[in-house]
Amino acid sequence: MKIIVAVSESWGIGKDNKLLFSLKEDMKFFKTATTGNVVVMGKKTFLSLPKRPLKDRVNIVLTSSDLDDECVRVSSMDELFKALKEYNSDDIYIIGGASMYKQMLPYCDTAYITKVHMDAEADAFFDNLDRLPNWECVSKREGEVDPITFCTYKNKNTLEYKL
């Protein structure tokens, strides 16, 4: 299972339930990585999407509310883990928000972090993987257009989810 997120210099990811940045190069990377796969998110992230559900992906949303959109709705972490067992873990991407990232981070083996070389006022943050002993940056690639660095981190101690 993977995480994909863009972070500011201070590892901020959002403010007022909106992304801090909308950079064409990062959005293209996100679309390429997640298309044809499974995206997992919380309700606020789902409702913040400009078009719902995300096209050409299985959308799994953790929420206790009914949603009219075509997606897989789960109402608990146990239900989420049960639903995830139906898919190849290499095809699963956690896409937000902050609470979902925090809960799922230990279960992910890879994190695709787009580091945006700007700071912005944020009210939602991602854990700084450079400070977590289980996580190691294994590759970096500078953006060609935007002031960003695409970083791939690997988790040296991924937890297995059990039902």
Side-chain angles (χ1 to χ4, degrees):
M1 194 163 31
K2 302 168 178 71
I3 276 184
I4 189 166
V5 63
V7 301
S8 69
E9 294 280 350
S10 61
W11 291 75
I13 59 171
K15 176 147 176 74
D16 300 328
N17 204 41
K18 292 183 177 74
L19 295 175
L20 292 180
F21 309 103
S22 180
L23 301 170
K24 194 171 186 176
E25 199 171 358
D26 178 54
M27 293 298 182
K28 181 180 176 186
F29 175 73
F30 175 88
K31 184 176 181 182
T32 301
T34 62
T35 296
N37 292 305
V38 178
V39 290
V40 179
M41 68 201 94
K43 176 184 173 184
K44 288 184 197 174
T45 297
F46 183 72
L47 293 176
S48 75
L49 297 173
K51 294 182 183 174
R52 306 186 288 266
L54 288 176
K55 187 177 155 189
D56 301 323
R57 286 156 266 210
V58 174
N59 289 241
I60 300 178
V61 183
L62 176 63
T63 178
S64 56
S65 305
D66 285 332
L67 299 171
D68 294 334
D69 304 271
E70 289 185 31
C71 62
V72 176
R73 185 184 70 82
V74 294
S75 60
S76 69
M77 290 303 290
D78 284 344
E79 272 187 50
L80 174 60
F81 288 135
K82 186 176 180 183
L84 294 179
K85 292 275 188 192
E86 302 295 317
Y87 303 97
N88 181 329
S89 66
D90 285 341
D91 299 336
I92 300 170
Y93 288 79
I94 309 302
I95 67 165
S99 175
M100 182 64 72
Y101 284 136
K102 188 167 254 339
Q103 291 178 81
M104 298 303 290
L105 185 63
Y107 302 98
C108 293
D109 59 9
T110 305
Y112 296 110
I113 309 292
T114 302
K115 291 185 177 180
V116 180
H117 303 297
M118 293 184 265
D119 222 341
E121 188 178 337
D123 59 15
F125 292 85
F126 191 85
D127 287 339
N128 182 338
L129 297 186
D130 294 322
R131 295 184 181 156
L132 297 180
N134 287 352
W135 288 89
E136 176 183 8
C137 183
V138 296
S139 72
K140 290 183 181 183
R141 176 177 61 85
E142 295 303 317
E144 294 176 14
V145 177
D146 296 320
I148 57 179
T149 303
F150 294 103
C151 302
T152 302
Y153 287 80
K154 290 292 185 178
N155 186 349
K156 296 181 267 185
N157 191 23
T158 308
L159 295 181
E160 291 291 321
Y161 44 90
K162 302 194 183 348
L163 297 175

